[in-house]
Amino acid sequence: MEYVITIGEIAKTLLSSIARLIGHLISYNTNIKNLEKELQKLVDKKATEVDPRVDEAERNLEIIAESVIRWQKEVDDINQKGKEFLENDIEVINKCLNGLCPDPKSLYSLSRKAKEMTKKVLGLLQEAAKFDEITHPGPPPKIGSTFITEGIRDFESRESIKNEVWEALKDDKLSMISICGIGGVGKTTMVKQLVQEVERQKLFDEVAMAVVSQTPNIKKIQGDIASCLSLKLDDESELTRAGKLRQRLINCGKRILLILDDVWSELDFEKIGLPSRGERKGHTIMLTSRNKDVCNKMGSEKNFPVDVLTNEEAWDLFGEMAGISIDHHLHHTATEIANECGGLPIAIVNCKGIKKQKEKHLG
């Protein structure tokens, strides 16, 4: 009788183990299918919705939110782990078909792991649903990066002036300086070279520049400066825009170089929104103008006059543009062209006489 009971208990235990195995196997299959389905949803979400938005934002020089970058990485990681896990699942199924199923404990462990991975996948899907703004505007490119100064000839007569202006920019006691000279003499070119050096050496935290011209457009000047400073100005009145710009300049706690290029007449700083002399803490305003008196009226504390090129510099520039060397045969021609151009670099570069000399020389 005891022998029969023992057999019965063994059978009962065996049937119970088989039932548990079947239960774990069913649960395992369910969890595996859920993992496959949700993982595919996540991969599709990244590939068709998030990645394209990130790519477009990067093309537009926008900054990607750190949470989005982290999310992309986590999706790639869980996708890789999920693929490896599912490949292992195929081996488990094949073994079961051959009568080599893992023990219930191992099967339960695999099933639980699949469930945990699915939970993480669902969490990433929920997080992606909250991605309203995945980027924010990046800082504007540095002004110096927009200037092409490579190949610009450095003349001795300019270098000394440029060095003096550089020293003035480093002088905290000077809040406004100016570069003066007739049109085409190279004032703006010098400013561009100085701006690139300022940015290389980080002399100022920010640099803003606006071209004023003979007929100043206050809103355009405000907009150009604001754009350099990443300040958004809506299409409001000049007065409102001036108030915002002024507050941005005096309350930011940064050293700012403000450049007003091609100034023809005295400007109303209050109307534009530029700080007064007493408010320029760490700020420097640099003007370029054809008229030194205008700069003096605006409060320039130091003026740097730029004269025309010397005869030798003009001859050398002519020869460089024409692609020829100035020997005694061409000295008279070079002198005539230099005189005709008034020693102005821009006039020499664009002189028709250079084209004729090129053709004659090449012919």
Side-chain angles (χ1 to χ4, degrees), residues 52-271:
R53 290 172 65 186
V54 169
D55 292 341
E56 182 182 4
E58 288 177 337
R59 287 195 296 270
N60 289 298
L61 303 180
E62 295 180 350
I63 304 298
I64 313 301
E66 287 296 328
S67 59
V68 175
I69 295 174
R70 176 189 53 75
W71 183 88
Q72 287 180 301
K73 186 178 184 305
E74 288 186 5
V75 170
D76 290 339
D77 289 344
I78 194 71
N79 184 39
Q80 181 62 34
K81 291 177 182 177
K83 283 180 179 178
E84 293 173 358
F85 182 84
L86 292 172
E87 286 174 2
N88 182 60
D89 167 62
I90 295 174
E91 293 182 13
V92 171
I93 296 299
N94 289 337
K95 285 181 179 179
C96 281
L97 293 175
N98 294 320
L100 299 172
C101 278
D103 61 89
K105 187 176 180 181
S106 297
L107 201 60
Y108 172 74
S109 177
L110 290 170
S111 177
R112 187 175 63 180
K113 186 175 180 181
K115 192 172 184 179
E116 288 173 352
M117 290 182 72
T118 303
K119 184 178 179 182
K120 186 172 183 180
V121 168
L122 290 171
L124 289 169
L125 281 168
Q126 290 174 356
E127 187 177 350
K130 299 176 183 177
F131 288 158
D132 294 325
E133 296 294 333
I134 66 173
T135 66
H136 58 85
K142 291 184 177 181
I143 295 178
S145 67
T146 66
F147 299 148
I148 301 175
T149 58
E150 185 179 353
I152 291 178
R153 182 74 175 272
D154 291 323
F155 297 104
E156 188 177 340
S157 62
R158 300 292 189 270
E159 284 302 302
S160 59
I161 299 170
K162 193 162 61 176
N163 291 336
E164 290 176 14
V165 176
W166 177 257
E167 292 303 317
L169 290 173
K170 294 194 294 184
D171 190 344
D172 293 334
K173 296 177 183 177
L174 297 175
S175 65
M176 188 189 296
I177 62 175
S178 64
I179 299 175
C180 305
I182 62 176
V185 81
K187 302 182 295 297
T188 302
T189 298
M190 183 179 292
V191 165
K192 290 178 178 180
Q193 292 175 317
L194 285 164
V195 165
Q196 289 180 334
E197 190 62 28
V198 162
E199 292 178 343
R200 270 194 295 269
Q201 298 200 28
K202 299 180 180 179
L203 189 59
F204 290 85
D205 299 313
E206 296 179 295
V207 180
M209 182 173 179
V211 178
V212 178
S213 76
Q214 194 169 1
T215 53
N217 182 323
I218 299 300
K219 277 197 171 184
K220 184 179 183 306
I221 295 171
Q222 292 171 332
D224 288 347
I225 294 173
S227 177
C228 295
L229 302 175
S230 299
L231 171 65
K232 185 177 180 181
L233 292 180
D234 297 321
D235 190 18
E236 303 163 314
S237 67
E238 287 181 4
L239 183 62
T240 303
R241 289 161 64 92
K244 287 185 177 180
L245 181 56
R246 180 173 171 276
Q247 289 300 314
R248 167 66 169 84
L249 290 168
I250 66 177
N251 293 329
C252 67
K254 295 181 178 180
R255 284 174 51 79
I256 300 176
L257 174 61
L258 294 171
I259 302 166
L260 298 174
D261 188 32
D262 196 23
V263 178
W264 286 67
S265 56
E266 189 175 358
L267 293 173
D268 187 340
F269 279 8
E270 183 177 355
K271 193 174 182 180

Side-chain angles (χ1 to χ4, degrees), residues 32 59 68 137 139 144 217 282 287 306 324 351 363:
I32 287 294
R59 287 195 296 270
V68 175
N217 182 323
L287 314 172
V306 180
I324 57 178
C351 182

